[in-house]
Amino acid sequence: PDMTNNSARTTTTVIQQALMADLSVTQVDVPAQVVASQQLNYTLRVKNAGPSPAQTVRVTDVIPANTTLVSAETTSGTGWFKSTPLVAADRVIFSKVTVAVGESATFQIVVKVNLNTSNGTIVTNTATVESATTDPDMTNNIAMATSKVGQQPPTEPDITKKAVVVFSKEVAATGGHQF
């Protein structure tokens, strides 16, 4: 027998599909018009639409010009860490090691408009989300909200205050009549 033809060799190439996670961030601000020294509330919502878990996720909120940070909290979602110090280079950063497919989180950022901010100033808040995992749609990774600084609305008169008004009239008797 011929032993040289008793073996065969096959080469198989394994292509690993790149992991992808479609992260998104949305933002709502309240109120849309604000007065200097009033607070603005920003609600950020981050979600992973998949198809893979997102690794090393970071949500960054840039504190708007003409404002001062009051607070920053995770209001829904678990495992998120805030940057320390809370504000690093005018930013608040929330991070998480892994965000599962379908997982979402909500963050509340509160700022106070500085007292010397001029009427008509536009206050813009920008939030972004990024990950070490490839994101197939980067267009939904940034959200902006704007508020306009306006004048304090005129106050209504307080009609609950009571005033006592005393009227007096002098009456004189003439012609012998008595009162």
Side-chain angles (χ1 to χ4, degrees):
D2 184 4
M3 300 299 279
T4 61
N5 63 0
N6 287 350
S7 65
R9 188 178 293 219
T10 301
T11 304
T12 303
T13 304
V14 176
I15 300 172
Q16 183 175 1
Q17 185 176 10
L19 297 178
M20 290 193 276
D22 183 14
L23 293 172
S24 63
V25 62
T26 57
Q27 180 172 187
V28 176
D29 65 330
V30 176
Q33 180 151 342
V34 67
V35 176
S37 80
Q38 187 178 11
Q39 289 186 351
L40 275 167
N41 297 295
Y42 298 106
T43 302
L44 313 178
R45 186 165 187 266
V46 172
K47 184 172 183 175
N48 179 8
S52 303
Q55 303 298 321
T56 316
V57 178
R58 191 164 89 170
V59 177
T60 303
D61 186 85
V62 179
I63 304 304
N66 299 304
T67 68
T68 303
L69 179 67
V70 174
S71 64
E73 300 297 328
T74 304
T75 56
S76 74
T78 58
W80 290 92
F81 298 95
K82 280 190 283 189
S83 57
T84 305
L86 183 56
V87 177
D90 297 331
R91 301 166 196 281
V92 175
I93 299 171
F94 296 92
S95 59
K96 187 171 181 180
V97 175
T98 302
V99 176
V101 175
E103 182 179 350
S104 64
T106 305
F107 308 94
Q108 185 76 37
I109 310 288
V110 179
V111 298
K112 184 175 182 179
V113 177
N114 296 339
L115 185 60
N116 61 349
T117 304
S118 302
N119 290 337
T121 300
I122 302 297
V123 176
T124 302
N125 190 65
T126 304
T128 59
V129 63
E130 60 187 341
S131 170
T133 306
T134 301
D135 192 325
D137 181 9
M138 299 292 288
T139 63
N140 57 5
N141 290 35
I142 186 168
M144 298 173 75
T146 59
S147 298
K148 184 176 183 179
V149 177
Q151 294 179 342
Q152 180 75 30
T155 57
E156 295 293 323
D158 186 356
I159 59 172
T160 61
K161 292 184 179 176
K162 297 177 183 175
V164 176
V165 179
V166 177
F167 292 98
S168 65
K169 186 174 184 179
E170 249 179 68
V171 178
T174 60
H177 294 86
Q178 280 191 323
F179 290 96

